[in-house]
Amino acid sequence: MNILVTGAKGMVGTALVNNLKNIRDGKNQTRPNLVVNEIYEYDIDSTHEELEEYCRNAEFVFNLAGVNRPENPEDFMKGNFGFASELLDTLKMYNNKATIMLSSSIQATLSGRFGDSEYGRSKKAGEELFFDYANENGTKVAVYRFPNLMGHSRPKYNSAVSTFCWAVANDEEFTVNDPTTELELLYIDDLVEGMFDLLEGKEQHCEFDGVETVLATNGRYCCVPVTHKVTLGEIVDLLQQFKEQPNTLMMPKMPEGSFAKKLYSLYLTYLPTDKFKYALKMNVDNRGSFTELVHTQDCGQVSINISKPGITKGQHWHNSKWELFIVVAGHGLIQERNINTGETVEFEVSGEKIEAVHMIPGWTHNIINLSDTDDLVTVMTCNEVFNPGRPDTFREDV
């Protein structure tokens, strides 16, 4: 399939083109039925001759080109409606009946909560132009009214989320006028997956009741249903937690598919390069070192323990706390003893064969470096972050 993407250098266009290339080049094999041959990238610096070539050969068109913040309000209609008309005229000139996707906006819902605007009117006019084109030419048209989009874009432009991410990551000042303001956000990766669904003929349809998007099998519009409704205050609170993570080591909860998980990925893209790396506190003594790597709110912590040759560490037990020891380098011995029954077990461990060993509550345990020359390196996970006020750790030799 030959695919034309207009607005190819914008936020959505860039992400879509990058991921189409992954499909084309066989790097993404999650869509085995999707075949991409040529990808035509059209943007503001492209020529009309290039547009003609692309419209002659394209088998699918993503029209993402548009104007968000022109100097003059009347340029909304020129940029959003005018180019759409030029694109359709060029396709008609070559009798190309390729399926066309149009990127519109929920602000085209003139009677809804967004009210009337030059931007909304230009988007609405573009929609009607595409629907008329479909009726006249028997061509499939997929019109998407997107909510606020959330992806890497220029800060201080048209995305509050991008501006907040950039400001927090770069220690810049920012203002939140009303923390209770709610946004409906569509994450860029979800949008791209929705476009892949469209390419495979699996798009979802919807209608608009003036306030909400309602899924409808025969709806006039198409939509990507995976969106998140969140307030500005909630966004900023999460960003401040992300910023403090290198100091606190605490990762906020980020379940699969959650807004927090997507926001953290976006936040990281705004980090200046000198923040790509941060120091960790190494607790060092003559036995080696112990370094906490990350804390979580519900799954405890992960640490790295380094034992010098011949050193024994541990020699303690817990009431409820449990740990996993995973030796990743060196050669060692783990010993455990049930403090009530006296039963003992031991496990020889090595970085040559990585295994996980449970430290069971009520079993005192240790780890011994058996090497005379090499350090023993162990990843240790624990079901709770260490609390010095309630350590649940009691000294007792195995």
Side-chain angles (χ1 to χ4, degrees):
M1 184 185 301
N2 297 332
I3 298 174
L4 167 58
V5 180
T6 73
K9 293 183 179 178
M11 180 189 78
V12 177
T14 297
L16 180 59
V17 167
N18 287 342
N19 284 281
L20 285 171
K21 289 178 180 177
N22 285 339
I23 296 288
R24 180 196 65 190
D25 299 339
K27 298 175 182 178
N28 179 354
Q29 299 185 10
T30 63
R31 301 275 180 160
N33 298 323
L34 186 56
V35 177
V36 177
N37 298 316
E38 295 292 332
I39 303 169
Y40 305 122
E41 302 178 45
Y42 182 90
D43 210 90
I44 193 170
D45 55 356
S46 302
T47 66
H48 186 75
E49 289 72 25
E50 288 174 315
L51 181 62
E52 287 194 13
E53 176 191 350
Y54 301 158
C55 286
R56 182 170 61 249
N57 299 319
E59 299 169 277
F60 196 103
V61 179
F62 289 101
N63 183 33
L64 308 175
V67 175
N68 293 311
R69 286 195 173 186
E71 292 184 6
N72 301 308
E74 57 268 22
D75 288 340
F76 276 124
M77 193 63 71
K78 178 181 178 182
N80 292 326
F81 177 82
F83 175 75
S85 180
E86 179 184 3
L87 172 66
L88 296 181
D89 287 344
T90 308
L91 288 167
K92 283 192 287 187
M93 183 171 67
Y94 291 103
N95 195 31
N96 188 335
K97 297 186 180 297
T99 298
I100 310 173
M101 173 269 178
L102 173 65
S103 172
S104 188
S105 167
I106 51 176
Q107 294 195 43
T109 312
L110 298 178
S111 61
R113 55 183 170 176
F114 298 98
D116 199 354
S117 69
E118 292 288 345
Y119 177 73
R121 279 195 291 272
S122 69
K123 286 296 189 181
K124 179 66 174 176
E127 292 178 359
E128 296 305 320
L129 183 69
F130 271 68
F131 286 131
D132 290 343
Y133 174 83
N135 292 331
E136 293 170 5
N137 295 276
T139 302
K140 179 179 176 179
V141 167
V143 176
Y144 284 77
R145 282 183 171 176
F146 290 133
N148 296 285
L149 300 182
M150 175 180 156
H152 190 91
S153 61
R154 182 171 22 141
K156 299 183 179 180
Y157 184 56
N158 65 342
S159 169
V161 178
S162 290
T163 299
F164 294 155
C165 286
W166 167 81
V168 172
N170 290 273
D171 304 313
E172 298 285 345
E173 293 184 357
F174 62 94
T175 301
V176 180
N177 293 323
D178 182 1
T180 65
T181 299
E182 185 180 74
L183 299 179
E184 182 178 8
L185 294 163
L186 172 59
Y187 184 53
I188 189 65
D189 286 7
D190 295 322
L191 189 158
V192 168
E193 289 300 317
M195 297 305 95
F196 286 173
D197 286 342
L198 175 61
L199 285 171
E200 293 184 337
K202 300 186 298 187
E203 70 277 8
Q204 297 208 40
H205 290 262
C206 63
E207 291 290 357
F208 294 86
D209 63 4
V211 178
E212 299 289 341
T213 303
V214 181
L215 291 178
T217 302
N218 297 313
R220 191 185 195 202
Y221 298 92
C222 297
C223 64
V224 179
V226 185
T227 63
H228 302 271
K229 292 184 178 180
V230 60
T231 66
L232 296 180
E234 290 169 338
I235 294 170
V236 171
D237 286 347
L238 275 171
L239 290 174
Q240 295 293 358
Q241 292 180 54
F242 298 158
K243 181 177 182 176
E244 289 302 313
Q245 192 277 329
N247 299 319
T248 64
L249 301 183
M250 180 61 69
M251 282 287 185
K253 291 183 180 180
M254 291 185 278
E256 183 66 27
S258 67
F259 173 76
K261 182 178 180 180
K262 297 169 186 178
L263 182 66
Y264 187 61
S265 294
L266 180 60
Y267 165 78
L268 291 176
T269 69
Y270 288 93
L271 282 179
T273 54
D274 61 358
K275 288 188 178 181
F276 283 14
K277 180 179 73 171
Y278 59 92
L280 295 169
K281 181 184 177 184
M282 295 181 65
N283 300 287
V284 182
D285 58 25
N286 59 0
R287 301 175 303 157
S289 66
F290 180 79
T291 306
E292 296 176 65
L293 303 182
V294 65
H295 295 174
T296 67
Q297 294 182 355
D298 56 354
C299 295
Q301 67 181 48
V302 181
S303 309
I304 287 286
N305 184 79
I306 300 176
S307 299
K308 294 294 183 182
I311 291 297
T312 298
K313 285 191 175 183
Q315 305 286 44
H316 58 239
W317 62 276
H318 316 288
N319 280 308
S320 294
K321 185 184 295 185
W322 55 260
E323 299 165 296
L324 277 176
F325 287 4
I326 305 166
V327 168
V328 295
H331 179 210
L333 181 68
I334 294 173
Q335 298 176 319
E336 300 185 60
R337 175 176 58 82
N338 188 308
I339 63 169
N340 295 313
T341 67
E343 181 183 359
T344 62
V345 294
E346 61 181 31
F347 307 94
E348 193 168 347
V349 288
S350 168
E352 298 297 317
K353 182 183 179 182
I354 296 179
E355 300 171 298
V357 182
H358 281 291
M359 302 300 111
I360 308 297
W363 290 64
T364 189
H365 50 270
N366 64 25
I367 183 166
I368 305 167
N369 187 347
L370 297 178
S371 173
D372 295 327
T373 57
D374 298 326
D375 288 347
L376 181 69
V377 182
T378 308
V379 177
M380 296 182 172
T381 68
C382 181
N383 67 318
E384 60 185 49
V385 175
F386 180 72
N387 178 0
R390 191 185 174 109
D392 188 13
T393 300
F394 308 98
R395 179 79 171 82
E396 186 166 338
D397 290 348
V398 174

